[in-house]
Amino acid sequence: MKRLAVLTGGGDCPGLNAVIRAIVKSSALKGIEVVGICDGFRGAVEGDFIPLDVKSVSGILPHGGTILGTTNRDNPFSYQSKPGSQEPTEDRSGDVLRNICKHQIEALLVIGGDGTLSIASKFSTLGLSVVGIPKTIDNDVMATDLTFGFQSAVNYAQEALDRLHTTAESHHRVMILEVMGRNAGWIALHSGVAGGADVILIPEIPYDMDAIVLAIRARVEKGKRFSIVVAAEGAKPKGGEVTIEKIIKGRPEPIKLGGIGARLCGEIEALTGLETRSTVLGHLQRGGSPLTGDRLLSTRFGVSAVEAAIRGQFGQMVALQGNRVTLVPLDESINRQKLIAPDDELLFAARSIGICMGD
Ligand code: F6P
């Protein structure tokens, strides 16, 4: 192995730079050159490649985001030169293969969530030597216990809940925190338990407004005149639909969720008579410096991906299973989301300490 390339695709998250750094540093010690591909698969189509040496990754470990840039729109198999424009999509996968060949790249390390890894898997079936590295704050990638970025996002949400507690208590209000996670409730459940929420609403358990109102009223009867509600952006009422902020045409995932907090706010205030406020945490969850746990996982994933490439283990994804980083076939992780199972241990713990899960 003389030269490999790395790209970051999909929404950014804390820890991406830590992976890039681990890839470059461990490769350098083995005499392998690393090429960075800018802005995910867009750069692979357009030939936007830059050399990455140890100097270029110096100091990036604590920085959020990605020095390579990213995009959650561009799919080389149905590509638009001007994203979001009216122009028809075209298959530009051939350009990716030509660019990789032109730069004499022997392995492509793809850091991404479900969408980006699905593209990587498609290239793998076309014969490209690919290793996947799962990332996302949502923690919804199958076949890995954890994705990096998740722990930092959860910690941020938990800090927000700590802050909401003091103002909720002072004003005797119901405070709602809307968190990200797409169709998975991992961020909501983990931050909600860690942040002492009274009600946690996750997409996996459609909520019943009567149950929420009952839980808040029961607290008032016990003298607790405030309540904290965490709502995953993908939470939905029983028999109802998710709340959509907008549809973004031309994206692999066109639905942008958002607005559940505001929706619940009006309903809870009307039904309980308690003053209610809603806060949307939004992209603050994705920004900032990675926490220790994410830096460690990113570093382990980066090193393992380079090792896999050297051993020629392509079409695989690095994954955390138990306490070990291992490899799983890329197609075991794609096109499926890891959701919270009914027998999830933390879900059981949440219920056991009296948290209302909306049902
Ligand atoms: O997948 C990561 C994520 O942050 C989701 O939690 C959220 O629904 C989505 O990306 C937001 O996407 P965008 O960056 O397009 O606003």
Side-chain angles (χ1 to χ4, degrees):
M1 174 75 51
K2 290 205 177 70
R3 185 176 295 154
L4 55 80
V6 55
L7 67 79
T8 50
D12 72 326
C13 71
L16 287 168
N17 283 328
V19 187
I20 297 168
R21 171 181 175 269
I23 290 170
V24 172
K25 291 189 88 165
S26 65
S27 297
L29 285 173
K30 293 186 156 71
I32 300 169
E33 284 177 31
V34 180
V35 173
I37 301 180
C38 300
D39 298 332
F41 277 107
R42 166 156 289 269
V45 170
E46 305 293 345
D48 196 356
F49 290 34
I50 52 165
L52 287 177
D53 58 13
V54 172
K55 206 169 158 210
S56 55
V57 297
S58 170
I60 68 170
L61 175 66
H63 294 167
T66 159
I67 58 163
L68 290 174
T70 187
T71 152
N72 49 12
R73 290 176 171 262
D74 298 308
N75 179 352
F77 294 93
S78 86
Y79 190 79
Q80 275 188 318
S81 304
K82 286 195 196 105
S85 68
Q86 295 301 318
E87 66 184 36
T89 59
E90 48 181 342
D91 184 351
R92 298 280 301 275
S93 54
D95 289 306
V96 173
L97 297 173
R98 272 187 290 281
N99 285 328
I100 295 277
C101 198
K102 187 171 127 194
H103 287 84
Q104 296 172 321
I105 288 158
E106 291 162 69
L108 176 62
L109 309 188
V110 177
I111 311 171
D114 180 48
T116 308
L117 294 174
S118 301
I119 298 170
S121 171
K122 237 169 151 180
F123 276 113
S124 172
T125 57
L126 291 179
L128 200 66
S129 301
V130 173
V131 180
I133 305 173
K135 64 89 225 181
T136 167
I137 61 164
D138 303 338
N139 197 34
D140 61 350
V141 176
M142 279 303 261
T144 182
D145 292 347
L146 211 53
T147 50
F148 62 86
F150 173 66
Q151 295 175 74
S152 304
V154 167
N155 187 258
Y156 192 79
Q158 178 226 291
E159 280 175 7
L161 287 170
D162 291 346
R163 286 169 186 266
L164 288 176
H165 254 101
T166 57
T167 172
E169 194 164 8
S170 308
H171 282 268
H172 319 298
R173 283 173 171 163
V174 177
M175 294 302 241
I176 302 167
L177 182 68
E178 177 179 322
V179 297
M180 282 184 166
R182 287 203 297 169
N183 303 311
W186 297 105
I187 298 178
L189 178 62
H190 284 241
S191 65
V193 173
D198 306 298
V199 179
I200 302 175
L201 306 176
I202 60 176
E204 293 87 342
I205 304 174
Y207 65 82
D208 177 351
M209 189 47 82
D210 291 343
I212 299 171
V213 171
L214 213 67
I216 293 172
R217 284 211 185 116
R219 280 178 56 76
V220 174
E221 274 157 30
K222 278 189 249 155
K224 299 271 189 186
R225 291 161 65 203
F226 72 97
S227 284
I228 302 288
V229 179
V230 179
E233 61 182 357
K236 53 179 180 287
K238 262 184 197 155
E241 295 303 325
V242 290
T243 315
I244 296 173
E245 186 187 312
K246 58 180 169 182
I247 303 284
I248 307 174
K249 283 192 195 143
R251 252 185 26 170
E253 172 60 75
I255 293 176
K256 172 139 175 49
L257 295 167
I260 184 70
R263 178 176 168 179
L264 288 163
C265 189
E267 290 175 16
I268 291 176
E269 189 163 88
L271 292 166
T272 62
L274 294 169
E275 227 185 348
T276 305
R277 297 285 187 270
S278 162
T279 303
V280 182
L281 211 49
H283 294 78
L284 293 169
Q285 287 156 102
R286 285 213 326 231
S289 189
L291 287 187
T292 310
D294 283 331
R295 294 184 196 192
L296 296 179
L297 189 59
S298 299
T299 303
R300 291 167 74 194
F301 275 1
V303 168
S304 297
V306 171
E307 291 294 320
I310 291 170
R311 289 195 299 267
Q313 292 173 298
F314 298 118
Q316 307 279 314
M317 177 186 92
V318 295
L320 185 74
Q321 292 186 345
N323 280 329
R324 293 200 65 79
V325 174
T326 180
L327 287 173
V328 294
L330 254 180
D331 52 17
E332 264 183 30
S333 72
I334 57 168
N335 301 326
R336 290 183 301 157
Q337 264 186 306
K338 185 181 70 182
L339 301 176
I340 299 172
D343 64 349
D344 182 89
E345 202 232 81
L346 188 62
L347 178 58
F348 175 74
R351 290 191 193 280
S352 302
I353 59 170
I355 296 175
C356 166
M357 294 302 302
D359 58 348

